[in-house]
Structure formats: C-alpha cells, structure tokens
C-alpha cells in the first residue's frame, strides 16, 4: 500500500465530521444484531478496498450497519456483498465469490471498491451536508487512482457523487441520467457506468439479477482488454 493511501485511510478512520452519523454508529454498537451478538463491531468509518493501481473503480452508497460497520471492510458481511461478489467472481474481478470478514483472503483484480459516504447513515439516507463532508475523501481516492479508466457507480447516490466530482473538476455541462448499463464518456478517456445497487430490495424485486450484473462487469473487462 502506498504512503498516500495509508495517510488517507488514517484520516478517514479518525474522521468525526458528521455528528448524526457518529451518534448512529454508537446506536448500532449498542444494538447488535442477534446473529452477531458475540462479534466485536468495527464501529468506525470505512475505507476503500482493493488495488489502487487498478483501472476499475466501484462506488457504493455507504457501509451497511451490520455489514461493513461490523466487519471493517466495504461490502463485507451482508446480503449486498454476497450478491456483488458472486458477480465479481464470475466476471473474474475477484479471486473468490464471498466477502465475509477481513481475513478471508479476498483480493480484487485490477479494481478498487469504495463508498461515496464512509459512515453508515440512518435508513441508508445520507443528508446532503454529510455527502459534502465526505466528498473530499472520494476526491482523494480518485486522484490516487492514476490508472483509472472506468467507474461503475452502484446506485443513484454513488452515480450522482461521481457526477458532482467531474462537474467540479472538469467542464461537464450536459445532463446525466442514472440508468443501469448507461455509459457516459467523461474526461481523459474515462467512462462512468450506472449499475443498480446489489441491495436485497433490488434483488428481491427483480430489478437486478446475477446475469444482468455479471454481464455488465464482463463487458467492462472486455472493453478494457480491447483498449489495452
Ligand atoms: S461520513 Fe465521511 S465526513 Fe462524515 S464522519 Fe464519516 S468519514 Fe467523516
């Protein structure tokens, strides 16, 4: 891990800019899910995971209350991560099809995963000022990923965070609409792709399924192979 990312991760883990989210984290620690009653919850903000020299960046909304906030790794230990990693594995982006705890040997190939908001918000609904507070960390992650070619935004909030970043840093005046599989060419040969979030709600309603998500990931990989 390079020194820039080590220093960034330290800042994230020690961040206390959002009082509402800190209060909510404390509440989660007091009210552990029965299934995890004997687990020591991580209970701090969550950093990104994977290969920062990678060409693909996955961006989710925020850590889950009893997933990443418990295990200490983004998309780890909850239903969304179970679904996501089955697809990542099929697309050969991860070395295994599960993401259960930080010592499970998981590795990403050519990819990094992060969240737009590094702390879990009540009811998965961040306030605007919290997203603004956290935006600096996302900006820094992008600036460290010097080989970045494709951003896959998992859900609309993640998609809007990416748009906000590129609007601020580049002259993008056209309209962006979040749609699964819809691609936008941003600056410097960078592509942004919208993808439904792998949440149980999206899976149970049939909005997303394993084939649909895996095919999107495989297409990204094929396009990158073609470009390289
Ligand atoms: S959401 Fe981001 S800015 Fe707010 S406390 Fe957590 S890490 Fe800090």
């Amino acid at each position: 891990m390079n020194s820039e990312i080590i220093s960034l991760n330290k800042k994230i883990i020690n961040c206390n800019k959002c009082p509402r989210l800190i209060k909510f984290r404390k509440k989660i620690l007091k009210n552990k899910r029965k299934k995890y009653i004997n687990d020591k919850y991580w209970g701090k903000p969550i950093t990104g995971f994977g290969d920062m020299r990678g060409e693909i960046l996955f961006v989710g909304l925020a850590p889950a209350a009893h997933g990443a906030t418990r295990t200490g790794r983004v998309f780890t230990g909850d239903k969304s991560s179970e679904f996501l990693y089955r697809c990542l594995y099929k697309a050969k982006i991860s070395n295994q099809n599960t993401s259960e705890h930080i010592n499970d040997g998981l590795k990403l190939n050519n990819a990094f995963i992060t969240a737009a908001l590094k702390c879990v918000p009540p009811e998965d609904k961040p306030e605007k000022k919290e997203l603004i507070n956290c935006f600096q960390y996302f900006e820094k992650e992008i600036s460290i990923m010097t080989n970045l070619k494709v951003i896959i935004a998992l859900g609309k909030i993640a998609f809007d965070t990416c748009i906000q970043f590129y609007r601020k840093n580049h002259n993008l005046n056209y309209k962006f609409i979040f749609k699964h599989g819809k691609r936008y060419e941003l600056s410097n040969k960078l592509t942004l792709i919208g993808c439904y979030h792998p949440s149980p709600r999206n899976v149970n309603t049939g909005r997303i399924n394993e084939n649909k998500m895996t095919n999107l990931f495989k297409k990204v990989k094929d396009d990158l192979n073609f470009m390289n």
Side-chain angles (χ1 to χ4, degrees):
M1 216 188 275
N2 78 22
S3 58
E4 266 189 299
I5 187 72
I6 291 172
S7 138
L8 171 65
N9 287 351
K10 259 191 201 163
K11 279 186 195 155
I12 294 172
I13 290 168
N14 292 308
C15 181
N16 52 16
K17 279 197 176 136
C18 307
R20 186 183 80 113
L21 302 185
I22 292 166
K23 203 170 153 196
F24 184 57
R25 276 210 314 265
K26 284 185 182 155
K27 197 171 159 194
I28 292 168
L29 298 187
K30 268 194 196 155
N31 301 291
K32 291 181 183 179
R33 194 168 273 174
K34 213 172 165 189
K35 194 174 160 188
Y36 306 121
I37 202 76
N38 295 320
D39 286 18
K40 190 172 185 307
Y41 275 44
W42 166 252
K44 298 187 196 94
I46 297 297
T47 62
F49 168 75
D51 181 5
M52 291 231 83
R53 291 159 305 171
E55 294 172 302
I56 311 169
L57 172 64
F58 292 88
V59 187
L61 161 62
H66 302 277
T69 306
R70 173 176 61 89
T71 61
R73 187 174 69 195
V74 66
F75 278 109
T76 299
D78 64 348
K79 290 279 174 206
S80 298
S81 45
E82 280 176 20
F83 182 91
L84 179 67
Y85 273 92
R86 283 200 294 272
C87 302
L88 288 172
Y89 181 68
K90 281 185 190 165
K92 297 191 170 60
I93 295 174
S94 65
N95 67 334
Q96 57 189 49
N97 63 0
T98 55
S99 170
E100 290 173 358
H101 56 84
I102 53 165
N103 296 317
D104 60 4
L106 179 66
K107 285 195 181 106
L108 293 179
N109 172 24
N110 199 22
F112 189 77
I113 300 187
T114 195
L117 193 78
K118 314 296 187 207
C119 296
V120 54
E123 293 169 26
D124 288 331
K125 288 191 182 123
E127 288 179 355
K128 201 172 170 197
K129 64 174 183 247
E130 292 161 351
L131 284 165
I132 292 169
N133 284 347
C134 215
F135 189 60
Q136 55 166 321
Y137 300 130
F138 178 67
E139 263 190 308
K140 187 67 188 168
E141 285 171 326
I142 288 196
S143 76
I144 296 174
M145 289 193 73
T146 48
N147 298 325
L148 182 61
K149 295 208 172 95
V150 181
I151 301 177
I152 301 178
L154 301 168
K156 188 175 182 309
I157 295 180
F159 182 84
D160 289 345
T161 301
C162 297
I163 296 302
Q164 192 189 348
F165 172 80
Y166 283 95
R167 273 202 204 286
K168 186 180 158 205
N169 293 283
H170 305 278
N171 207 11
L172 299 176
N173 295 319
Y174 44 96
K175 201 172 171 188
F176 294 88
I177 296 162
F178 174 75
K179 197 173 164 199
H180 183 83
K182 174 100 178 144
R183 308 164 72 93
Y184 289 99
E185 301 306 322
L186 303 172
S187 62
N188 305 327
K189 296 185 183 161
L190 182 66
T191 304
L192 172 66
I193 304 175
C195 176
Y196 286 131
H197 191 280
S199 66
R201 186 189 298 162
N202 283 344
V203 174
N204 295 340
T205 55
R207 181 175 277 171
I208 188 76
N209 59 47
E210 276 183 45
N211 272 350
K212 209 167 167 180
M213 187 170 267
T214 305
N215 287 343
L216 190 153
F217 296 169
K218 281 183 176 169
K219 170 97 176 56
V220 167
K221 279 197 67 182
D222 288 348
D223 291 349
L224 283 173
N225 286 340
F226 181 73
M227 282 157 68
N228 288 332

